[in-house]
Amino acid sequence: MASLALLSVPEDASVYISLDDLVLALDNWAIKDKFAFQTASRKKDWASFVCAESLPSGDQQVMDCAWNARGKRLELTNEWKLSILESKHSYLAVARVMSINKQTSPDNIKNAIWVHYSENISYKVAQEYRLRLFSDDIKTHWQSFGLLSSYKTLLKTQSPGLIIDLIVNDTD
């Protein structure tokens, strides 16, 4: 493996001898910029690559990160052409790197993005991510709390002698 300083970011429309060489170029980019990617789909003449943090979670088909690239085999030469469709990462994936709560500051988010992606974002952008992620996190918690009573009922039917006491704290 080359030293970090020798690794480069491939250019859009660059051509490689084989798909393996194209993937090696993407690997070098991922090492240099500290991200991970995976093959989303692959056919005989093309391949699609996405950020590893853009995996859909559960039944959701919402992708967390927009980074993606494609490779296409050129008919005449059998070489592979790289098309970089989106070179920037979207940072909704930062929720997988850190837990967002009331105490999370935009500076915390800026630092997490710097450590994880080696990119600087403005304080305002970090603040927007914080608001969006914190709002989504609260909705998730409320949905989880809504399931507690049905979970309690399920447990009681499966274990008739079980005693369950749910306590609601009104101070939070």
Side-chain angles (χ1 to χ4, degrees), residues 139-151:
K139 288 176 191 171
T140 303
H141 286 299
W142 278 109
Q143 290 169 352
S144 296
F145 292 141
L147 298 173
L148 283 176
S149 60
S150 59
Y151 184 61

Side-chain angles (χ1 to χ4, degrees), residues 42-98:
R42 182 175 174 183
K43 301 285 185 191
K44 180 182 172 189
D45 294 331
W46 63 271
S48 176
F49 308 96
V50 296
C51 178
E53 301 209 16
S54 69
L55 295 174
S57 54
D59 293 333
Q60 296 178 336
Q61 293 300 314
V62 177
M63 300 305 229
D64 289 340
C65 183
W67 182 95
N68 69 77
R70 287 198 184 127
K72 183 176 190 309
R73 185 190 316 243
L74 301 174
E75 290 181 25
L76 297 176
T77 62
N78 260 354
E79 294 177 317
W80 285 77
K81 180 179 177 182
L82 174 65
S83 298
I84 301 170
L85 304 175
E86 180 57 60
S87 63
K88 297 287 183 191
H89 293 274
S90 48
Y91 300 107
L92 293 178
V94 77
R96 294 185 184 183
V97 178
M98 65 184 296

Side-chain angles (χ1 to χ4, degrees), residues 103-116:
Q103 288 76 32
T104 305
S105 72
D107 284 329
N108 297 134
I109 293 172
K110 284 179 64 172
N111 290 338
I113 290 171
W114 172 252
V115 167
H116 195 69

